[in-house]
């Protein structure tokens, strides 16, 4: 037994209670049909013509039903007699390689077989413009060669800055479609300027005449599709800020303002750009955004398979388990950080031999809580917080919340023989 493991041997972990959150809000039952209806309603056939080559964006985020959404867009293009293809629009993700980015799409279920079209992946770019402030504006080479581009993305609060355009269509045109080269140009100024640069770059992309259509997606608090809306290019600037306001209102949150320790079983690019959405976890990578849970210590235990080793965001935690450390691909992780210039997010936290020691160490190092009755919250990831676990110290507060249902009786942490937690 190591010295530091011995130091937390006597730390008592409280029993945990399963809690279900009741989120209200809309939900789209048939997403594929909703996309089809919306494209026809909008009159998208006015801009998608027979014989046109149409590039459709494929992002790296785990958007609900994204394979189905893209498949529906592809099918619509084919109905018009166009020749659609999907291209990775994800900046430097996937290790900054064409092969890696195609693998990211495939891990999300976006495959040629399912979507019914070719996936064309390259890291080559074409300069299409220059901003009035002198920044070169780039576009994926395949997209730049196409007759038209359809931008498909979820509108969502960003994890590192605030502005009228956060995660959405304008950012995808600025960062995602610019590949590693374009993302580096925009990120070089830092997240403190992102609220200014996204519309600055986005307007230049719109002026190129390549963008035929946008499809904005909103999700409810359970990360389910609840709204799809097609936009013509001249609507992007005015409509996206309105949709972002709606997204803020729909966003899920943890039902407590403060905790001593937050445990996140798994982080990953399929859950958030930061691995764990800071709007929920409260662990932001920059000072340009705030919110979420106020926790004195945060613990992360694993990395999602869909991240392909990219552990961007692990540095926002205080302790991690060795099993997460063993999953890290530093090439992919550091490529992401160097591109966006936020290095704090990839620092390696204190790494403990197993989950139990990672949790105990975090609790041992809390300065303000009651160690005899600690406030602990455990979640699977920040994308799915309908079911959470809370310590007994939070039970009374939870019982007073009409949107929470306590399930079963308090139970000890379910550690296996190696000291790691069993499945959530």
């Amino acid at each position: 037994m190591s010295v530091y493991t011995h130091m937390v041997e006597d730390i008592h972990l409280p029993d945990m209670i399963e809690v279900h959150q009741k989120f209200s809000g809309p939900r789209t039952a048939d997403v594929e049909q909703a996309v089809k209806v919306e494209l026809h309603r909008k009159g998208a056939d006015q801009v998608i013509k027979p014989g046109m080559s149409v590039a459709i964006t494929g992002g790296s985020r785990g958007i609900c039903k994204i394979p189905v959404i893209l498949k529906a867009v592809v099918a619509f293009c084919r109905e018009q007699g166009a020749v659609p293809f999907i291209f990775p629009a994800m900046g430097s993700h996937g290790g900054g390689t064409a092969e890696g980015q195609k693998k990211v799409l495939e891990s999300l279920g976006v495959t040629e077989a399912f979507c019914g079209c070719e996936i064309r992946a390259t890291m080559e770019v074409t300069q299409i413009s220059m901003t009035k402030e002198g920044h070169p504006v780039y576009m994926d080479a395949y997209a730049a060669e196409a007759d038209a581009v359809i931008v498909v993305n979820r509108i969502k609060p960003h994890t590192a800055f605030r502005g009228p355009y956060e995660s959405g269509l304008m950012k995808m045109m600025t960062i995602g479609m610019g590949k590693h080269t374009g993302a580096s140009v925009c990120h070089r100024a830092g997240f403190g300027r992102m609220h200014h640069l996204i519309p600055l770059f986005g307007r230049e992309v719109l002026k190129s005449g390549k963008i035929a259509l946008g499809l904005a997606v909103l999700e409810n608090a359970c990360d389910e599709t609840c709204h799809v809306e097609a936009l013509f290019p001249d609507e992007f600037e005015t409509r996206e800020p309105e949709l972002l306001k709606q997204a803020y209102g729909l966003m899920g949150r943890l039902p407590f303002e403060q905790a001593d320790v937050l445990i996140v079983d798994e982080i990953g690019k399929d859950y958030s750009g930061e691995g764990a959405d800071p709007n929920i976890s409260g662990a932001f990578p920059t000072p340009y955004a705030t919110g979420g849970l106020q926790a004195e210590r945060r613990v992360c235990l694993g990395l999602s398979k869909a991240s392909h080793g990219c552990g961007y965001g692990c540095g926002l935690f205080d302790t991690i388990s060795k099993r997460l450390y063993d999953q890290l691909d530093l090439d992919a992780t550091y490529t992401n950080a160097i591109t966006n210039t936020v290095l704090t997010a990839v620092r390696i936290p204190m790494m403990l031999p197993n989950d139990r020691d990672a949790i105990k160490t975090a609790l041992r190092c809390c300065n303000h809580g009651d160690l005899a009755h600690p406030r602990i919250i455990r979640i699977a990831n920040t994308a799915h917080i309908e079911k959470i676990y809370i310590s007994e110290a939070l039970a009374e507060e939870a019982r007073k919340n009409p949107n929470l249902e306590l399930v079963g009786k308090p139970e000890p942490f379910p550690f296996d023989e190696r000291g790691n937690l069993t499945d959530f």
Side-chain angles (χ1 to χ4, degrees), residues 42 47 71 147 155 180-181 185 208 224 248 304 315 359 379 387 400:
K42 190 67 178 183
V47 293
K71 179 181 179 181
D147 296 315
I155 309 294
H180 182 271
T181 303
V185 170
S208 73
E224 301 168 320
Y248 266 96
S304 71
I359 296 167
I379 64 176
K387 184 176 85 170
K400 295 177 182 178

Side-chain angles (χ1 to χ4, degrees), residues 45 49 136 160-161 166 222 246 249 270 281 360:
D45 55 333
K49 303 293 186 180
F161 72 94
E166 296 183 19
C222 296
Q246 292 183 37
D270 45 334
S281 72
K360 283 190 172 186

Side-chain angles (χ1 to χ4, degrees), residues 257-309:
E257 293 183 0
Q258 182 274 332
D260 298 314
V261 177
L262 172 67
I263 303 165
V264 181
D265 278 29
E266 193 173 74
I267 63 170
K269 281 292 182 183
D270 45 334
Y271 304 132
S272 171
E274 265 59 42
D277 189 342
N279 294 296
I280 293 171
S281 72
F284 287 86
T286 75
Y288 309 114
T290 58
L293 177 74
Q294 299 304 301
E296 187 172 356
R297 302 294 179 195
R298 297 177 178 87
V299 182
C300 185
L301 305 175
L303 184 64
S304 71
K305 290 182 180 179
S307 289
H308 298 281

Side-chain angles (χ1 to χ4, degrees), residues 53 175 264 377 387:
S53 61
I175 307 293
V264 181
I377 301 172
K387 184 176 85 170

Side-chain angles (χ1 to χ4, degrees), residues 31 45 103 130 259 267 288 411:
V31 175
D45 55 333
K103 285 183 178 179
M130 186 81 75
I267 63 170
Y288 309 114
E411 298 281 355

